[in-house]
Amino acid sequence: MNTRAPGTAGPIADSADSVAANKRPGATARIRNPASYDSERQLLAAIVNASHDAIYSWNTGGVITSWNAEAERLFGYTADEIVGKSLLLLIPEERLERARDAIANLLHGEFYGQYETVRLREDGVPFDVELTVSPIRDGSGAIVGVATVCRDITQRKEFEARLRLAIEAAQHAQEQQAFLINEFNHRVKNTLATVQSLAVMTLKTKAPAEFADAFSRRLAALSATYDLLTSSGWEHALLDDVIEAELKPYMSSQITLEPSAPAILLSPKAALSMGLVFHELPTNAAKHGALSQNSGRLLVRWQRADRDGRQFLSVQWRERDGPEPKTARTAGFGSRLIESSITDELGGEITVYYPPAGFHTEIVLPIDNLSR
């Protein structure tokens, strides 16, 4: 009875003569001393079975004919279990058609050398491998089988995947940094332009003694909105928060707020415009309107409304029980700033009323303009 070490099932030693005799293209077999011949076969078999790579061979029928110890460890099949079985047992179902074509090509002498693919373990789990295939020829040079060296490259593939993700993340971070720098520059320029406009217009409509106070208050209004935007990463601000931030210095039992449900998100541009509007309105009310007297009352209501299939924001500002309004309130930079912010910046409409009961303004804005 033949005996063999684990992992040496099949003709690894038996095919050593053809592998050794054909290790050079076109080499021809030569007669050797039988003792030397057996020694070479045993050495080759020992090398194969001591290899840290899985090495196996298969014949022209696609049947596995040898299987070394590392192949047992890597695939999970013992040599006795797999030798004599089809090579296709090692190939995932979705790759079978391509594998059959590759096998046919190999047996016709089209060798791919080294390539990466996927193989199946005995438990059905696929894993990434690198294969090196070499022909086994007989004494006449005809291909009688194929020897395969198989390396598990799962860890390498995982490392490459992590490396790709890291590179992509670094590229994204770099792009994001460039975007943020450009966005920051854009916002700084816009802010400086706004501050310059506020300064010039405030100076035109105020005596020098009043300029510092009015200008400082308008800068504070901008700052309050900036704080809200910063807390969201400059992505948006809630209209409720903008209105409440600007009315905070005046909040008392005189003021009633009726916010919209659901809440309305504002883009940075819309938030800054609305912040200035809701700074000027209570400033005027505190100087000339309902908030200038203890008896005065202010109702601020904002809600969604439909018009011709399009959604709008409707804001009602109603003052009561204060001094009778005068149309002269429409003059001045504050009033022009409100109108410009609503009509020019946000594409909305503003209507102002001066009934004896108290100043009233209605603002209507397209909802989609507020998110751009």
Side-chain angles (χ1 to χ4, degrees):
M1 171 184 280
N2 268 339
T3 59
R4 55 180 176 261
T8 60
I12 289 181
D14 297 339
S15 61
D17 53 348
S18 61
V19 174
N22 293 283
K23 56 187 175 185
R24 300 190 310 277
T28 57
R30 60 182 182 273
I31 299 174
R32 299 186 178 90
N33 180 288
S36 173
Y37 180 74
D38 287 342
S39 176
E40 184 174 337
R41 291 172 60 203
Q42 291 170 7
L43 175 61
L44 180 57
I47 292 171
V48 168
N49 282 294
S51 173
H52 292 296
D53 294 324
I55 301 176
Y56 54 93
S57 61
W58 41 279
N59 63 22
T60 55
V63 174
I64 295 171
T65 55
S66 67
W67 192 258
N68 77 344
E70 182 61 18
E72 288 189 347
R73 188 201 65 79
L74 183 60
F75 286 91
Y77 292 102
T78 66
D80 289 335
E81 289 173 329
I82 197 68
V83 169
K85 301 289 181 62
S86 172
L87 177 69
L88 300 181
L89 282 174
L90 309 178
I91 299 172
E93 184 175 355
E94 66 273 12
R95 294 174 178 262
L96 284 176
E97 185 174 348
R98 281 181 292 173
R100 290 189 180 98
D101 292 340
I103 290 170
N105 293 337
L106 287 169
L107 295 176
H108 283 86
E110 297 181 22
F111 281 85
Y112 307 107
Q114 200 171 71
Y115 62 98
E116 294 179 3
T117 185
V118 177
R119 288 295 179 258
L120 289 178
R121 301 188 198 277
E122 185 271 339
D123 57 7
V125 175
F127 64 108
D128 294 302
V129 298
E130 180 182 80
L131 300 183
T132 303
V133 293
S134 303
I136 299 174
R137 301 176 187 272
D138 63 12
S140 66
I143 294 175
V144 295
V146 174
T148 303
V149 178
C150 177
R151 295 185 180 92
D152 184 354
I153 59 171
T154 303
Q155 289 185 340
R156 191 186 85 193
K157 284 289 189 180
E158 290 174 351
F159 173 78
E160 289 173 353
R162 289 195 299 270
L163 182 61
R164 280 195 300 271
L165 289 175
I167 291 172
E168 289 170 4
Q171 290 174 338
H172 177 73
Q174 195 172 33
E175 292 167 0
Q176 187 69 9
Q177 183 182 44
F179 170 78
L180 290 175
I181 290 172
N182 290 336
E183 186 70 10
F184 177 76
N185 288 336
H186 176 70
R187 288 172 185 164
V188 168
K189 289 178 181 178
N190 283 348
T191 300
L192 291 175
T194 301
V195 170
Q196 183 182 32
S197 175
L198 288 175
V200 171
M201 297 304 293
T202 303
L203 184 60
K204 284 182 179 179
T205 58
K206 298 288 182 184
E210 300 174 6
F211 167 77
D213 180 62
F215 183 59
S216 294
R217 289 178 180 274
R218 284 168 178 153
L219 285 183
L222 278 177
S223 177
T225 308
Y226 265 68
D227 287 343
L228 292 175
L229 290 169
T230 300
S231 66
S232 71
W234 270 82
E235 293 186 3
H236 62 261
L238 290 175
L239 175 61
D240 299 19
D241 293 340
V242 171
I243 293 176
E244 290 173 7
E246 298 302 338
L247 285 173
K248 185 177 180 180
Y250 308 96
M251 284 305 297
S252 69
S253 59
Q254 290 180 266
I255 300 176
T256 302
L257 302 181
E258 294 183 0
S260 167
I264 294 171
L265 287 178
L266 303 177
S267 68
K269 173 187 173 183
L272 291 171
S273 295
M274 293 298 280
L276 288 173
V277 168
F278 281 95
H279 166 73
E280 297 299 330
L281 284 171
T283 298
N284 286 342
K287 290 183 177 180
H288 311 289
L291 298 183
S292 67
Q293 297 181 356
N294 291 334
S295 60
R297 297 289 180 270
L298 170 63
L299 169 66
V300 187
R301 177 188 295 123
W302 57 99
Q303 58 191 1
R304 294 173 184 265
D306 288 323
R307 182 192 297 177
D308 300 326
R310 190 179 181 189
Q311 278 215 320
F312 288 80
L313 167 67
S314 172
V315 180
Q316 300 288 332
W317 180 281
R318 294 180 180 272
E319 299 178 25
R320 293 288 182 271
D321 303 329
E324 184 174 336
K326 298 177 181 179
T327 56
R329 282 180 62 180
T330 58
F333 173 63
S335 297
R336 292 198 299 273
L337 177 60
I338 292 172
E339 184 173 359
S340 173
S341 297
I342 296 301
T343 58
D344 298 340
E345 297 295 325
L346 301 176
E349 302 171 359
I350 180 169
T351 308
V352 180
Y353 306 94
Y354 300 94
F359 177 75
H360 172 208
T361 186
E362 180 180 12
I363 298 170
V364 179
L365 297 163
I367 291 287
D368 51 4
N369 285 3
L370 299 178
S371 60
R372 295 201 284 251

